């Protein structure tokens, strides 16, 4: 069975639209229809019904979904296993939230390599939605992220939190922050709503940035007011020209570790999770770990 048929089926389960799936996969709608028909012929059952109301899974389609996810994950794992054998070492693929690269990153690499000297590591900075997708398909072994995309095949565990604080070249008082020079933080999918609830008067501005490093660079070149990581705020203050907006509430984002549910009890993944708990876990009772 061609893996393209499985991938097309799963994407169509998500979009419920032959047109959208065609756009997302970069193929024609007729190709999507042909793949679905081929899969239905192989299985001997109809998987979707199409009507004016849209595309819906049949009972047989619903039953096939978990098996299709398993097939996709196993295929990806098999591809990487073949590559790993060729390199002479097990490759551990680690996704990490872009803003987390500057937080304990060197220590994290050292911990991983000391604990698993027989493994080769591939670290990739990315965003939460893509990492959750990569975990479900098997492209990544473990991810460190801000906003999990909950999925029956994924296991997430809260590790701790990161703190963002407001700095400004103009003022140290929240009441004097100007919307015209304020830059909205968009470091995670959940952050805009958190920010809007905390600071509704600053919810609608003309500029938004999705990465801490880019925010720092923009502040240094243009000035203004924005939230940055606490360590970045301290560096900006020490460099001169920046003040902490002390009465602005800090923004706390939880850090999650994510793995595929099938890997949860594998020795390698358990060791990786323990490293992350130790490195990013709460200190002095700041936040209790919880599993979701």
């Amino acid at each position: 069975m061609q893996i393209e048929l499985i991938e097309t089926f799963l994407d169509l389960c998500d979009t419920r639209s032959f047109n959208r799936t065609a756009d997302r996969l970069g193929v024609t709608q007729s190709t999507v229809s042909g793949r679905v028909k081929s899969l239905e012929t192989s299985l001997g059952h109809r998987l979707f019904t199409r009507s004016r109301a849209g595309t819906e899974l049949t009972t047989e389609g619903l039953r096939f979904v978990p098996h299709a996810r398993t097939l996709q994950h196993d295929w990806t794992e098999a591809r990487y296993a073949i590559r790993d054998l060729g390199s002479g070492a097990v490759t551990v693929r680690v996704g990490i939230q872009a803003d987390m690269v500057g937080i304990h990153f060197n220590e994290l690499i050292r911990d991983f390599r000391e604990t698993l000297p027989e493994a080769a590591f591939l670290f990739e900075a990315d965003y939460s939605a893509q990492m959750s997708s990569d975990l479900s398909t098997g492209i990544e072994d473990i991810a460190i992220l801000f906003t999990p995309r909950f999925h029956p095949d994924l296991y997430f565990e809260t590790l701790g939190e990161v703190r963002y604080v407001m700095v400004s070249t103009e003022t140290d008082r929240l009441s004097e922050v100007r919307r015209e020079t304020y830059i909205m933080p968009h470091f995670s999918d959940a952050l805009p709503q958190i920010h809007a609830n905390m600071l509704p008067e600053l919810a609608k501005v003309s500029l938004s940035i999705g990465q801490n490093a880019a925010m720092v660079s923009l502040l240094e070149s243009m000035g203004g007011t924005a939230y940055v990581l606490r360590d970045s705020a301290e560096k900006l203050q020490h460099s001169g020209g920046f003040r902490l907006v002390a009465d602005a509430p800090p923004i706390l984002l939880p850090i999650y570790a994510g793995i595929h549910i099938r890997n949860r009890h594998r020795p390698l993944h358990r060791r990786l999770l323990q490293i992350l708990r130790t490195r990013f876990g709460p200190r002095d009772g700041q936040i209790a770990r919880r599993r979701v």
Side-chain angles (χ1 to χ4, degrees), residues 69 72-74 76-77 80 93-96 122-143 145 149 151 153-154 156 258-261 263:
R69 290 201 299 261
Q72 183 188 46
H73 184 267
D74 286 348
T76 305
E77 288 280 283
Y80 278 106
R93 305 170 299 276
V94 183
I96 185 167
L122 172 61
F123 285 84
E124 293 183 308
D126 213 328
Y127 292 91
S128 297
Q130 185 60 52
M131 285 189 284
S132 294
S133 175
D134 289 345
L135 286 172
S136 65
T137 59
I139 293 176
E140 286 179 353
D141 292 292
I142 193 165
L145 64 168
R149 295 295 178 92
H151 188 283
D153 289 344
L154 299 182
F156 295 101
I259 57 175
H260 196 280
I261 194 71
N263 295 328

Side-chain angles (χ1 to χ4, degrees), residues 73-88:
H73 184 267
D74 286 348
W75 173 256
T76 305
E77 288 280 283
R79 287 175 57 202
Y80 278 106
I82 293 172
R83 186 191 67 179
D84 291 341
L85 287 174
S87 66

Side-chain angles (χ1 to χ4, degrees), residues 8-21:
T8 301
F9 168 77
L10 290 172
D11 194 272
L12 192 54
C13 290
D14 184 29
T15 66
R16 304 299 173 95
S17 165
F18 280 72
N19 284 329
R20 285 187 61 198
T21 287

Side-chain angles (χ1 to χ4, degrees), residues 14-277:
D14 184 29
T15 66
R16 304 299 173 95
S17 165
F18 280 72
N19 284 329
R20 285 187 61 198
T21 287
D23 289 340
R24 283 165 47 141
L25 298 181
V27 298
T28 64
Q29 183 179 346
S30 62
T31 298
V32 173
S33 298
R35 289 178 180 177
V36 171
K37 185 176 181 180
S38 295
L39 184 58
E40 290 176 331
T41 300
S42 297
L43 294 171
H45 291 282
R46 194 174 183 183
L47 301 175
F48 294 98
T49 59
R50 299 174 70 176
S51 66
R52 292 182 179 180
T55 300
E56 297 295 333
L57 284 158
T58 63
T59 300
E60 292 79 10
L62 288 168
R63 290 173 179 168
F64 184 60
V65 168
H67 301 285
R69 290 201 299 261
T70 297
L71 288 169
Q72 183 188 46
H73 184 267
D74 286 348
W75 173 256
T76 305
E77 288 280 283
R79 287 175 57 202
Y80 278 106
I82 293 172
R83 186 191 67 179
D84 291 341
L85 287 174
S87 66
V90 174
T91 299
V92 180
R93 305 170 299 276
V94 183
I96 185 167
Q97 190 85 29
D99 275 8
M100 296 295 296
V101 171
I103 303 176
H104 303 308
F105 190 57
N106 294 338
E107 295 93 333
L108 180 63
I109 293 176
R110 183 196 63 206
D111 292 347
F112 275 15
R113 297 184 70 184
E114 287 180 352
T115 303
L116 298 167
E118 70 282 6
F121 291 94
L122 172 61
F123 285 84
E124 293 183 308
D126 213 328
Y127 292 91
S128 297
Q130 185 60 52
M131 285 189 284
S132 294
S133 175
D134 289 345
L135 286 172
S136 65
T137 59
I139 293 176
E140 286 179 353
D141 292 292
I142 193 165
I144 309 159
L145 64 168
F146 285 160
T147 311
R149 295 295 178 92
F150 297 109
H151 188 283
D153 289 344
L154 299 182
Y155 168 82
F156 295 101
E157 181 177 310
T158 308
L159 299 173
E161 62 188 15
V162 292
R163 179 184 295 260
Y164 292 86
V165 296
M166 187 184 291
V167 295
S168 177
T169 57
E170 301 175 341
T171 182
D172 59 2
R173 299 177 63 183
L174 181 59
S175 60
E176 296 176 355
V177 172
R178 297 187 301 132
R179 290 177 55 190
E180 296 79 7
T181 56
Y182 181 71
I183 308 171
M184 170 80 75
H186 199 149
F187 306 129
S188 78
D189 293 341
L191 188 49
Q193 187 59 52
I194 294 173
H195 182 277
N197 292 337
M198 290 173 51
L199 301 169
E201 67 279 8
L202 295 174
K204 295 182 179 181
V205 295
S206 60
L207 183 60
S208 178
I209 300 294
Q211 190 179 48
N212 181 73
M215 185 75 84
V216 170
S217 178
L218 194 63
L219 286 172
E220 290 176 329
S221 62
M222 292 179 49
T225 305
Y227 276 94
V228 297
L229 285 169
R230 182 169 54 184
D231 290 350
S232 298
E234 293 174 356
K235 291 177 182 178
L236 288 172
Q237 288 177 270
H238 291 156
S239 69
F242 286 88
R243 287 178 281 175
L244 178 69
V245 183
D247 60 338
I251 294 176
L252 305 178
L253 290 184
I255 306 168
Y256 294 87
I259 57 175
H260 196 280
I261 194 71
R262 294 175 63 190
N263 295 328
R264 181 178 172 185
H265 298 296
R266 290 182 177 177
L268 183 145
H269 294 79
R270 291 175 63 183
R271 292 165 74 184
L272 293 175
L273 280 174
Q274 187 54 50
I275 293 170
L276 295 180
R277 291 175 189 136

